[in-house]
Amino acid sequence: MKRTHTPPEIRAPFARYSHAVEIPAGHRLLFASGQLGIAADDRIPADIEGQTTLCFENIKAILASAGMTLQDVVRINAYVTDRAHLPGYMRVRDGFISEPAPASTLMIVSGFAREDFLVEVEIVAAAP
């Protein structure tokens, strides 16, 4: 099983994530490209919660195609276009991730290829 590392010598995480996740030998790794908040029919919700939900639903589909689940996610990199989107993103993300929480980075960026995108999420997953 994966092990998380949050040493007592450093500050505890600011939100629901682990400082590090260790993957045992013999596991398969999956690196997913960043997923945007767009549905298969090209619908893009106007709000951060709707787009974040689609990002994670897309990630679930990618994981399923590899025989994995969200429980196999060991790292999340997320990008939002405004500091005001942080609470909505984190609320939705926390509904998708399991314990122990994966390692995670969340950045504010100036934008994406299309102006209507508010968030992009990429993951790394590991499974036996």
Side-chain angles (χ1 to χ4, degrees):
M1 293 313 288
K2 59 187 174 186
R3 275 183 51 196
T4 60
H5 298 275
T6 302
E9 302 86 6
I10 65 176
R11 189 190 186 293
F14 287 100
R16 192 167 160 226
Y17 63 89
S18 298
H19 280 307
V21 178
E22 181 180 354
I23 307 304
H27 276 58
R28 297 178 302 128
L29 295 177
L30 179 136
F31 297 83
S33 296
Q35 296 301 301
L36 295 161
I38 187 169
D41 63 2
D42 288 334
R43 181 181 50 83
I44 301 171
D47 64 313
I48 189 67
E49 291 86 357
Q51 287 194 26
T52 303
T53 297
L54 281 174
C55 290
F56 279 98
E57 291 295 339
N58 293 344
I59 288 166
K60 277 176 52 176
I62 292 166
L63 291 165
S65 75
M68 296 180 174
T69 70
L70 287 167
Q71 291 180 330
D72 297 313
V73 173
V74 296
R75 177 156 186 77
I76 298 171
N77 288 337
Y79 313 90
V80 297
T81 57
D82 193 300
R83 192 173 310 282
H85 298 318
L86 296 178
Y89 164 78
M90 289 189 287
R91 189 171 35 258
V92 173
R93 177 206 60 197
D94 288 352
F96 280 95
I97 64 173
S98 60
E99 292 295 333
S104 183
T105 298
L106 175 55
M107 292 181 264
I108 300 165
V109 297
S110 62
F112 300 107
R114 287 176 45 185
E115 287 184 11
D116 27 357
F117 292 127
L118 306 174
V119 60
E120 183 170 346
V121 181
E122 59 187 31
I123 58 97
V124 176

